Amino acid sequence: MGRAIWVALISMGLILLASLYADGARRNIGYQLMERRQKVLEYAQHGNWEMAKQMLLETENWWKEREERLALFTHHELTDAVGDGIAQTLLALEKGEVYELFAGLERLKNAAERLHEQDAFVLKNIL
Amino acid sequence: MLTVFIRVVVLYLFSVLAMRLMGKRQVGQLQPYELVLALMVAEIAASPMENMGTPLLYGLVPILGLMVLHGVCTALSVKWLPVRRLLNGRPGVVIRQGCMDTVQMQKMGYTVEDLMEELRGLGYPDISEIETAILETNGRLSAFPKTIYEGVQKQDVLNDAPEKGMPRLLVVDGQVQKEHLMETGHDDAWLKTQLEKAGEKRTCDVVLASLNGEGRMYVQGKRKDRPCIFSAEREG
């Protein structure tokens, strides 16, 4: 085969590897976000609001470190939804509003799940 | 991201197939797979441009994927004739010996109006002046007038001017074009003799061998700097 075909095949391989890396990174961040959100929920359910707030602040910092990189290969509305969820939950914790708190956590859960599952390499998404 | 790439591959192959099935009229001056590339790249590039919420990579990766696919298609079509036939199709003779080939035209989805329009564009308002017209794979029409309507050349004044007919490609990229060879009324043995006369012992070493209506043979070997041009021997 000619050199052009090898160049094309190698390029295709590199694109596939980069795609796999990007998918893996997004799914991993989504999974970690779900775990962190679960901890905040457990603290809140046990009435330990201080720990919930501390955990959420840690999550906020953790998220800020990753948001910009993630936005390179994820729809921005999704990364914005995570940021909004964290902000809503944090505000509810500060004000002590229970309904707002659970609404914020629900929003965060939805965003994290979408982050973990969107564009997954499954037949449904391909077709 | 991987899903996006897979979707690009599927859509690209599907679009090329669709363009091939649609026929040459849709193609214009590009080969079918090149037109698909141009259309898809324009569309894909527009999406991240107008939607700021879409990451730039969602535009870049599909275009990169298309470029790679286009590179593969081009390299394969240059290398292998069957791939070239599959991707580009074959040129079709729509006027043969001054007569319209309506069956061929119907097969290509080419109407008489289309033919007349193209001929007028080429400067031949009268179809009776045309000896041969070929609809090329890029959708353009090539027309060859009858000898009496051609411009006068020195050799026409000096000699009689018989109909030249269309040159036939007998070998392309080392592969004998059986259909063309049969149309010239010759066989493999005759072709082998002619190639040997041009210094080519193996057919696979011949890049191009053609025979024109006047019986002049053109042979270009892979390892030769210049083509060999000579009068072909008549059979028998």
Side-chain angles (χ1 to χ4, degrees), chain A residues 15-38:
Chain A
I15 294 172
L16 282 170
L17 282 177
S19 301
L20 280 172
Y21 169 77
D23 281 342
R26 181 180 43 73
R27 285 173 66 81
N28 189 31
I29 289 174
Y31 183 74
Q32 285 185 49
L33 190 63
M34 281 197 282
E35 279 192 331
R36 284 169 177 272
R37 177 254 171 209
Q38 186 62 32

Side-chain angles (χ1 to χ4, degrees), chain A residues 1-2 4-5 8-9 11-12 15-16 19-20 22-23 26 71-77 119-122 125-127, chain B residues 1-7 9-10 51-58 61 64-65 67-69 71-72 75-76 79-80:
Chain A
M1 280 197 279
I5 294 182
L9 290 177
S11 308
M12 196 178 277
I15 294 172
L16 282 170
S19 301
L20 280 172
D23 281 342
R26 181 180 43 73
L72 288 175
F73 44 83
T74 308
H75 282 287
H76 298 173
E77 63 177 39
D119 293 344
F121 186 51
V122 290
N125 281 343
I126 293 170
L127 299 177
Chain B
M1 200 68 80
L2 187 62
T3 310
V4 175
F5 182 68
I6 298 290
R7 287 176 76 110
V9 174
V10 173
N51 186 0
M52 295 298 282
T54 306
L56 200 59
L57 279 178
Y58 273 49
V61 169
L64 205 62
M67 282 167 62
V68 168
L69 282 171
V72 170
L76 289 178
K79 193 86 181 161
W80 288 299

Side-chain angles (χ1 to χ4, degrees), chain A residues 22-23 25-27 29-31 33-34 63 66-68 70-86 106-120 125, chain B residues 1 51-55 58:
Chain A
D23 281 342
R26 181 180 43 73
R27 285 173 66 81
I29 289 174
Y31 183 74
L33 190 63
M34 281 197 282
W63 172 248
R66 285 157 181 79
E67 186 183 8
E68 211 163 293
L70 198 62
L72 288 175
F73 44 83
T74 308
H75 282 287
H76 298 173
E77 63 177 39
L78 199 51
T79 52
D80 291 345
V82 173
D84 292 345
I86 292 172
E106 191 60 28
R107 194 172 178 180
L108 195 55
K109 182 190 164 198
N110 288 337
E113 277 178 355
R114 281 178 64 198
L115 205 57
H116 185 246
E117 288 161 12
Q118 200 187 42
D119 293 344
N125 281 343
Chain B
M1 200 68 80
N51 186 0
M52 295 298 282
T54 306
Y58 273 49

Side-chain angles (χ1 to χ4, degrees), chain B residues 132-168:
Chain B
T132 308
I134 300 171
L135 188 58
E136 305 291 358
T137 55
N138 61 7
R140 280 188 295 190
L141 189 77
S142 302
F144 304 94
K146 289 176 178 165
T147 310
I148 52 166
Y149 296 108
E150 280 183 354
V152 178
Q153 295 176 347
K154 276 183 186 172
Q155 62 174 15
D156 299 326
V157 179
L158 297 173
N159 305 313
D160 290 335
E163 290 294 347
K164 279 185 194 168
M166 275 302 296
R168 301 284 176 199

Side-chain angles (χ1 to χ4, degrees), chain A residues 24-101:
Chain A
R26 181 180 43 73
R27 285 173 66 81
N28 189 31
I29 289 174
Y31 183 74
Q32 285 185 49
L33 190 63
M34 281 197 282
E35 279 192 331
R36 284 169 177 272
R37 177 254 171 209
Q38 186 62 32
K39 277 183 188 168
V40 174
L41 178 69
E42 282 168 12
Y43 284 133
Q45 280 173 336
H46 289 97
N48 197 347
W49 285 48
E50 268 310 309
M51 279 302 289
K53 190 179 169 184
Q54 196 182 327
M55 187 68 211
L56 197 61
L57 284 169
E58 270 179 36
T59 303
E60 190 181 29
N61 290 333
W62 172 86
W63 172 248
K64 277 179 181 167
E65 284 171 15
R66 285 157 181 79
E67 186 183 8
E68 211 163 293
R69 186 161 51 97
L70 198 62
L72 288 175
F73 44 83
T74 308
H75 282 287
H76 298 173
E77 63 177 39
L78 199 51
T79 52
D80 291 345
V82 173
D84 292 345
I86 292 172
Q88 187 182 347
T89 313
L90 200 58
L91 195 69
L93 276 170
E94 282 169 355
K95 288 184 177 175
E97 290 173 0
V98 179
Y99 290 118
E100 272 295 305
L101 172 69

Side-chain angles (χ1 to χ4, degrees), chain B residues 141-204:
Chain B
L141 189 77
S142 302
F144 304 94
K146 289 176 178 165
T147 310
I148 52 166
Y149 296 108
E150 280 183 354
V152 178
Q153 295 176 347
K154 276 183 186 172
Q155 62 174 15
D156 299 326
V157 179
L158 297 173
N159 305 313
D160 290 335
E163 290 294 347
K164 279 185 194 168
M166 275 302 296
R168 301 284 176 199
L169 303 181
L170 304 181
V171 181
V172 178
D173 284 341
Q175 290 186 21
V176 177
Q177 309 295 299
K178 297 275 184 193
E179 285 175 34
H180 293 182
L181 188 61
M182 278 170 63
E183 281 172 7
T184 60
H186 299 302
D187 57 14
D188 287 332
W190 174 88
L191 179 64
K192 203 176 170 213
T193 312
Q194 302 309 310
L195 294 179
E196 277 172 4
K197 197 173 160 187
E200 297 296 342
K201 287 182 181 165
R202 297 190 310 168
T203 316
C204 59

